[in-house]
Amino acid sequence: MSASPNQATDSDRSEVTAGIAAVLHPAARGAAREVPDAPPRGRTAWSLLGLSGIGFGLLAVSIVVSVRIGTSGVSYGDLGRSLGSRLGVAEPLPRLLDSLIWDLRVPRVLMAAVVGALLAVCGAVLQAVTRNALADPYLLGVSHGASTGAVLVVVLAIGAGSLGVTGGAFVGALVSFGLLMLLLRRSGLDSVRVVLTGVVVGQLFAAVTSLVLMASGDADATRAITYWLLGSMASARWGVVIVCAIVAALGLAVVWWYSAALDAFSFGADTAASLGINVRRTRIMLLVVTALLTSVAVASVGAIGFVGLIVPHGVRFLVGPLHRALLPFAALAGAVFLVWTDALARVSFAPQEVPVGVFTALIGVPLFLFVLRRRGEL
Amino acid sequence: MRITVEDLSWAVSGTGILCDIDANVTSGETVGLIGPNGSGKSSLLRCIAGLRAPTSGAIRYETSDIHGWSARQIAQYVAFVEQALDSDSDLRVADVVALGRTPFRDRWRGLSHTDRAIIDAALAQVGLADLRSRGWKTLSGGERQRAHIARALAQQPWGIVLDEPTNHLDVRHQLELMRLLTDTDQTVLIALHDLSLAARFCDRLLLLHRGTLVATGPPEDVLTPDRLRDVFEVDAEIGQDSLGHLTVAYRGTA
């Protein structure tokens, strides 16, 4: 108490802390002696490690099994040979089969894993930042912005093929997010304002999309866009998968760095600030990162609903609400979930393919209800 | 730690909330902040805890002005407890207390052994050691408030600022909470609605009225019938109970 805090920096305070560490707060000294100095917390860490082992194992198995599933059968042997021939240890497969596995099936399954992870993490982050259990990655309206972009590209026939649509969607998502931030500039990123403004911006872009579709009166374009809006991995190719995977890895690292800050938001912005979180900067950073991640996902495969909403709730049920564990496990669970729903979308009405968004909702709703019931919230 | 408020004013979009406040809290003192609803108690506390930047004037921790300090730096000195604070997420009690270590943590790493020892000590100090693994939603109001105090203690602050922490607590828990705070030799600044409680536990009182500080001093000097009539608009009788504590009884509105 005698030292004076004159413009202390983190480092000289930590010297002070180091001095205090052994003795704790003066008032706590008596109590501190009664407490064993190394509490047996190891078990929790080990059980998380075990759970992550199970998670990664499950993801690997899901990816391998899912590659086999589809309208045309592929055996594990074929998969092994396709992979082996690229590593130079096996005879190459016939061209057509090899192309089916390597150029269509594998990128598609990996895309599902990456997008599932992205959406789940974005959902978890936005639920914490807005303190809203119903928040999902599309809360910020970027999916509607993306569809406006995609529709404009299709109707005006700018760019070429699927890359044009992806590019248009990405630009549309960024424009809508830019508008959102512009509207929020003065109001200070309060949770409720973010949610309301996001909904309003989303509705605006949804209306623009409908207007463009109606005005163009092109039935093919309308059908293509409807399909795209519900989400589909069918057009996933290696280039896009690799870009998404890199963005996902970077994004996850950034938001994970903020995990302590996200925990601090549990009791609101003022408490977070009193715990040393720069609330405004943290909110802007997290909103920008989640908007970018969501834009990449939506632009690549369309707006797949429900993953970002239910997966974080399910994972909280398993590993608790602390973001240090929640975010990586949400990524794993989201990946596994979307790999399987995409496999289901491929085969359930074969040869007709169902948009994967339909299945994420069909499977997601009962799971969501189950989790909420178990947590006593419904 | 001595906290000094110098000539502080705070306005929101042109409307003055706090006006020319000069006050101080000396090391180890428990100071009560009293005043009617809307008198600016919460605003003053938030300025002192560094959550709002004053329009003019200064706040000093010991001798240094906290203007320009980062939130993290401030959080390493002063802990802040809001009133009846709730959360949707089902954190365990130990996790809530662990939030107090946020200003000292390396972002990439988990809690250190030192952090855990500090958290355990804070839990023990408020008597929640047995409930450490309980979920937030299963706690009673008194337990929640104690968990927040433990979180503040885990911050190892040089001063604790509390905004009406006794709201929504029954009498026993109010007394327990105040006893807990005054038993630490912490510097405590606490906003209170209950004047008898303030008189009994605080070394000094600051009386706030329409954004200005109208009286400061020991409870028996600040709480006079005239002042209570002017500021709180009540007709009050100041007495002493058999234990020698100052009591405030209300005859009616003035």
Side-chain angles (χ1 to χ4, degrees), chain A residues 83 160 162 168 183 222-223 250 276 279 290 305 341 350 364-367 370-371:
Chain A
L83 192 67
S162 66
L183 291 172
T222 310
R223 188 178 152 71
L250 289 176
V279 171
T290 47
T341 36
V365 171
L367 269 176
F370 171 75
V371 168

Side-chain angles (χ1 to χ4, degrees), chain A residues 289-306:
Chain A
V289 170
T290 47
L292 277 177
L293 294 182
T294 314
S295 305
V296 167
V298 177
S300 317
V301 298
I304 298 169
F306 245 75

Side-chain angles (χ1 to χ4, degrees), chain B residues 96-240:
Chain B
V96 173
V97 178
L99 290 177
R101 299 309 300 159
T102 309
F104 303 97
R105 270 174 69 178
D106 176 342
R107 288 286 186 90
W108 291 112
R109 299 164 74 160
L111 295 166
S112 68
H113 280 293
T114 317
D115 288 332
R116 293 191 197 289
I118 291 166
I119 292 162
D120 288 335
L123 282 165
Q125 201 181 346
V126 302
L128 285 180
D130 295 338
L131 302 184
R132 58 175 307 140
S133 300
R134 285 267 298 276
W136 180 256
K137 289 175 183 168
T138 67
L139 298 184
S140 70
E143 289 163 347
R144 286 180 183 193
Q145 210 51 279
R146 275 192 286 160
H148 280 305
I149 306 280
R151 163 176 66 77
L153 290 174
Q155 234 168 307
Q156 294 192 321
W158 301 62
I160 304 184
V161 174
L162 304 101
D163 192 358
E164 293 173 20
T166 55
N167 271 13
H168 310 295
L169 294 189
D170 61 34
V171 181
R172 183 194 133 198
H173 287 104
Q174 289 186 12
L175 292 175
E176 271 182 9
L177 190 85
M178 293 305 295
R179 174 66 56 211
L180 183 67
L181 287 169
T182 44
D183 279 355
T184 68
D185 52 8
Q186 270 286 356
T187 307
V188 175
L189 176 61
I190 179 168
L192 287 170
H193 261 311
D194 185 330
L195 300 180
S196 300
L197 206 62
R200 175 164 173 187
F201 287 100
C202 297
D203 302 318
R204 268 191 319 129
L205 295 180
L206 306 175
L207 176 58
L208 210 55
H209 183 42
R210 293 187 187 142
T212 54
L213 203 57
V214 292
T216 157
E220 57 273 22
D221 295 351
V222 171
L223 297 174
T224 62
D226 287 345
R227 245 189 224 115
L228 293 185
R229 186 175 310 115
D230 292 346
V231 174
F232 289 93
E233 294 168 20
V234 290
D235 189 7
E237 197 174 294
I238 312 292
Q240 234 180 24

Side-chain angles (χ1 to χ4, degrees), chain A residues 108-299:
Chain A
R108 173 176 190 158
V109 170
L110 292 179
M111 191 74 195
V114 169
V115 168
L118 272 183
L119 294 179
V121 167
C122 289
V125 170
L126 285 172
Q127 282 162 16
V129 171
T130 62
R131 296 186 78 202
N132 184 337
L134 289 175
D136 76 356
Y138 307 123
L139 183 80
L140 303 174
V142 292
S143 63
H144 293 295
S147 36
T148 307
V151 166
L152 283 174
V153 167
V154 171
V155 169
L156 304 176
I158 325 165
S162 66
L163 203 63
V165 175
T166 305
F170 188 64
V171 171
L174 292 189
V175 168
S176 69
F177 182 66
L179 178 64
L180 175 73
M181 291 309 271
L182 204 67
L183 291 172
L184 284 173
R185 193 168 43 109
R186 294 169 61 85
S187 62
L189 299 174
D190 169 69
S191 316
V192 180
R193 285 179 184 139
V194 170
V195 175
L196 284 178
T197 318
V199 169
V200 169
V201 169
Q203 292 302 317
L204 173 71
F205 278 88
V208 173
T209 306
S210 306
L211 193 67
V212 173
L213 279 178
M214 292 304 144
S216 77
D218 182 346
D220 283 346
T222 310
R223 188 178 152 71
I225 290 302
T226 312
Y227 205 77
W228 184 83
L229 283 181
L230 288 166
S232 168
M233 310 287 169
S235 60
R237 296 295 176 271
W238 274 110
V240 183
V241 173
I242 289 168
V243 170
C244 283
I246 292 170
V247 171
L250 289 176
L252 185 60
V254 172
V255 294
W256 195 71
W257 191 75
Y258 278 103
S259 53
L262 286 167
D263 293 337
F265 273 107
S266 318
F267 289 98
D270 270 351
T271 296
S274 81
L275 291 169
I277 306 299
N278 184 331
V279 171
R280 189 174 169 79
R281 198 172 61 200
T282 303
R283 275 182 175 158
I284 291 179
M285 192 66 191
L286 289 172
L287 289 183
V288 168
V289 170
T290 47
L292 277 177
L293 294 182
T294 314
S295 305
V296 167
V298 177

Side-chain angles (χ1 to χ4, degrees), chain A residues 1-14 16-18 20-29 31-39 41 44-45 131-133 252-254 256-279 281-282 316 320-324 375 377, chain B residues 1 27-28 46 49 51-52 61-67 69-82 85-92 94-96 99-111 113-114 116-122 124-125 132 136-137 148 151 153 155-159 183-187:
Chain A
M1 283 297 188
S2 57
S4 84
N6 34 23
Q7 287 295 348
T9 61
D10 279 8
S11 65
D12 43 271
R13 172 67 209 226
S14 58
V16 177
T17 328
I20 302 174
V23 295
L24 297 178
H25 188 273
R29 267 177 223 149
R33 286 199 202 94
E34 299 157 18
V35 177
D37 49 7
R41 279 284 194 83
T44 324
R131 296 186 78 202
N132 184 337
L252 185 60
V254 172
W256 195 71
W257 191 75
Y258 278 103
S259 53
L262 286 167
D263 293 337
F265 273 107
S266 318
F267 289 98
D270 270 351
T271 296
S274 81
L275 291 169
I277 306 299
N278 184 331
V279 171
R281 198 172 61 200
T282 303
R316 267 187 212 105
L322 291 179
H323 289 82
R324 229 181 126 69
R375 286 174 51 186
E377 288 177 6
Chain B
M1 180 182 73
S27 194
R46 279 171 170 72
L51 304 179
R52 307 280 181 274
Y61 292 172
E62 291 294 341
T63 52
S64 32
D65 188 347
I66 64 166
H67 178 76
W69 283 25
S70 70
R72 189 177 164 100
Q73 260 176 303
I74 292 171
Q76 291 175 347
Y77 288 101
V78 167
F80 178 62
V81 177
E82 285 181 83
L85 205 50
D86 200 5
S87 173
D88 288 334
S89 63
D90 203 20
L91 294 158
R92 292 173 312 153
D95 298 332
V96 173
L99 290 177
R101 299 309 300 159
T102 309
F104 303 97
R105 270 174 69 178
D106 176 342
R107 288 286 186 90
W108 291 112
R109 299 164 74 160
L111 295 166
H113 280 293
T114 317
R116 293 191 197 289
I118 291 166
I119 292 162
D120 288 335
Q125 201 181 346
R132 58 175 307 140
W136 180 256
K137 289 175 183 168
H148 280 305
R151 163 176 66 77
L153 290 174
Q155 234 168 307
Q156 294 192 321
W158 301 62
D183 279 355
T184 68
D185 52 8
Q186 270 286 356
T187 307

